[in-house]
Amino acid sequence: MKVTIVGAGNVGATCADVISYRGIASEVVLLDIKEGFAEGKALDITQCATNTGFNTKVSGVTNDYSKTAGSDVVVITSGIPRKPGMTREELIGINAGIVKTVAENVLKYSPDTIIVVVSNPMDTMTYLALKATGLPKNRIIGMGGALDSSRFRTYLSLALDKPANDISAMVIGGHGDTTMIPLTRLASYNGIPVSQFLSEEVLQKVAADTMVGGATLTGLLGTSAWYAPGASVAYLVDSILNDQKKMIACSVFVEGEYGQNDICIGVPCIIGKNGIEEIVDIHLNDQEKALFAKSADAVRGMNDALKSILV
């Protein structure tokens, strides 16, 4: 199985590293426009093999898409990262042209690939990739919900003082500081609702911390986070390549699901060898439905900025 990661920055390189040492794919190609950058990252990762015991072939190339031929999955992380005080929405004008060009180029050499979009604003970039390529919606996946849900589970873990891997929790809606929806009502600790352990006040703080989880790290680091995003991408790619049928919140094109149409937004999905194999319809209460509708309106508004690009 072959995975190409376009963009060898912090997120892309971390994703390549996790995929390699976990043996998720037999080959990983890192591609970047900066001369020698992807090659250097790939060599650095390869030199870990004897110490970590992986056999994945890792290579790097400078803007040569022919080396990505035959990729089963292509991950797009290209674009500029957020800086302190910058919203994901402010990245639209810069990153849209990059994502469109990358998607078109990878399909020249891997026409059957599944594309995972990481570039921000992620929901809008996923929508752009879908519309620009004309691929069926199961083959264009936005990775946002996996990361947001990971952060949600982490904050619940801290509040509960229990292992994060014993906690089940999901974030749906847009991948933005004001548009994501941590589903506190459905979160559980080993099958028991977390509301039995945490007060409503604490749960609301956990939800609020989750929503600004990315911005918090950007403020601390001076740039976007990369460890958790890279690992979240690898988690999603693993479910695709190994047909694991995991339920993961992903940004996908909806056609009536959850009462929405003609946008890409985060909803629970079954992820397998065909990409999006099923959109799972979970019962939302009236408050959650209202929040989801508001989130969808915000995402739809950002998509309006793409009109000139998609002409």
Side-chain angles (χ1 to χ4, degrees):
M1 292 292 187
K2 181 176 180 178
V3 176
T4 285
I5 301 167
V6 183
N10 289 333
V11 174
T14 300
C15 177
D17 188 42
V18 174
I19 288 174
S20 299
Y21 74 66
R22 287 187 56 199
I24 292 170
S26 57
E27 181 178 1
V28 175
V29 177
L30 273 169
L31 183 147
D32 204 277
I33 61 170
K34 183 178 179 181
E35 187 70 37
F37 191 62
E39 290 88 339
K41 291 289 184 78
L43 181 58
D44 196 13
I45 293 170
T46 298
Q47 290 171 354
C48 297
T50 56
N51 294 319
T52 57
F54 71 79
N55 296 305
T56 303
K57 177 185 176 182
V58 186
S59 60
V61 295
T62 301
N63 220 29
D64 182 359
Y65 284 88
S66 68
K67 303 297 185 183
T68 71
S71 295
D72 298 284
V73 176
V74 172
V75 178
I76 302 177
T77 73
S78 305
I80 66 166
R82 281 203 294 172
K83 295 179 174 61
M86 178 183 283
T87 66
R88 291 182 175 91
E89 292 77 10
E90 289 174 317
L91 299 176
I92 292 177
I94 300 170
N95 287 350
I98 297 172
V99 170
K100 182 174 182 289
T101 300
V102 169
E104 292 170 345
N105 280 329
V106 296
L107 286 173
K108 292 177 184 177
Y109 298 96
S110 302
D112 299 320
T113 195
I114 292 170
I115 295 177
V116 176
V117 179
V118 183
S119 307
N120 277 317
M122 190 272 307
D123 299 292
T124 301
M125 294 301 103
T126 304
Y127 182 83
L128 169 67
L130 179 77
K131 294 296 184 178
T133 62
L135 290 178
K137 69 178 187 178
N138 64 295
R139 290 173 54 196
I140 301 286
I141 308 172
M143 192 296 298
L147 171 60
D148 297 333
S149 298
S150 175
R151 287 171 172 160
F152 186 26
R153 292 170 65 192
T154 297
Y155 284 118
L156 285 169
S157 169
L158 293 172
L160 289 164
D161 193 25
K162 298 292 189 296
N165 286 329
D166 284 350
I167 297 168
S168 177
M170 183 178 294
V171 176
I172 61 172
H175 180 59
D177 300 350
T178 61
T179 56
M180 68 179 73
I181 306 163
L183 294 173
T184 55
R185 181 179 62 89
L186 300 178
S188 64
Y189 165 57
N190 277 335
I192 303 171
V194 295
S195 57
Q196 291 192 25
F197 305 97
L198 302 174
S199 68
E200 182 61 25
E201 181 181 2
V202 171
L203 283 173
Q204 289 307 310
K205 183 180 186 306
V206 166
D209 288 344
T210 299
M211 293 174 72
V212 297
T216 299
L217 286 163
T218 300
L220 291 169
L221 298 169
T223 186
S224 296
W226 58 90
Y227 293 122
S232 296
V233 179
Y235 178 77
L236 179 59
V237 170
D238 193 10
S239 194
I240 297 169
L241 292 183
N242 294 299
D243 196 25
Q244 293 174 337
K245 314 291 188 188
K246 289 178 180 175
M247 185 189 298
I248 305 173
C250 298
S251 185
V252 297
F253 188 72
V254 289
E255 298 174 287
E257 296 91 350
Y258 291 86
Q260 300 299 324
N261 284 283
D262 196 35
I263 57 169
C264 290
I265 192 168
V267 292
C269 299
I270 302 300
I271 306 297
K273 64 182 180 180
N274 298 310
I276 303 293
E277 304 211 338
E278 180 186 350
I279 294 176
V280 180
D281 184 11
I282 57 175
H283 177 72
L284 302 180
N285 63 28
D286 290 343
Q287 181 184 18
E288 292 159 350
K289 287 178 181 177
L291 288 171
F292 193 86
K294 182 179 179 182
S295 178
D297 286 343
V299 171
R300 191 173 286 107
M302 286 192 291
N303 289 350
D304 291 341
L306 297 175
K307 290 178 179 177
S308 61
I309 296 172
L310 289 171
V311 171

